[in-house]
Amino acid sequence: MRSTHQEPRSSSSCAACKFLKRRCTPNCQFAPYFRSDEPKKFAKVHKVFGASNVSKILNEVAEEQREDTVNSLVYEAEVRLQDPVYGCIGAIASLQHRMVELQHDLLLARARLACSAAAAAASAAAVGFVVFGSFCSDAGDWRRRRWRRCGGGV
């Protein structure tokens, strides 16, 4: 995150002033957020929102939140240009759909794991060994622990 104090600028105009073909003043509102080496950044925002609306938005936002606001505007503009109909909502809906699919896959994997664990426990119980939980072991050092036949509980 960029600090709230103004960074010293070079003599070149910011990307916004270059795009709008106007002289960049020392107190240019766009200069801290649209550097001269990123002309496409402002061009996208201008195409979607317009310079006047961006200026109004920046005036309404607190100084410490302006960089985040500009980053949001840039992202929204890029997504709107990629998907003119749905924009950010389409991206959010796509991510939510993917999240639901992954949750479903996780639920299936857990169910399969539970079935496998139950089958392993059932076959081990038939033989008389404890497979899950705290295993039966002889007393003593952990290196000397070994499986032993258990007569029932864990």
Side-chain angles (χ1 to χ4, degrees), residues 58-110:
L58 290 177
N59 285 333
E60 292 177 8
V61 175
E63 180 86 29
E64 59 273 0
Q65 295 178 333
R66 287 184 182 170
E67 185 170 0
D68 291 334
T69 302
V70 168
N71 290 337
S72 291
L73 290 172
V74 170
Y75 177 75
E76 289 179 39
E78 287 174 348
V79 174
R80 178 62 65 181
L81 291 172
Q82 290 174 359
D83 185 358
V85 176
Y86 294 107
C88 285
I89 300 301
I92 291 168
S94 174
L95 290 172
Q96 285 177 334
H97 179 72
R98 182 70 179 134
M99 186 176 70
V100 168
E101 287 177 343
L102 290 172
Q103 286 174 335
H104 181 263
D105 291 348
L106 181 62
L107 188 64
L108 285 175
R110 284 182 177 162

Side-chain angles (χ1 to χ4, degrees), residues 9 11-15 17-18 22-28 30-31:
R9 294 188 346 199
S11 60
S12 67
S13 296
C14 68
C17 292
K18 281 183 180 179
R22 65 181 187 192
R23 188 168 181 267
C24 192
T25 61
N27 58 352
C28 176
F30 298 119

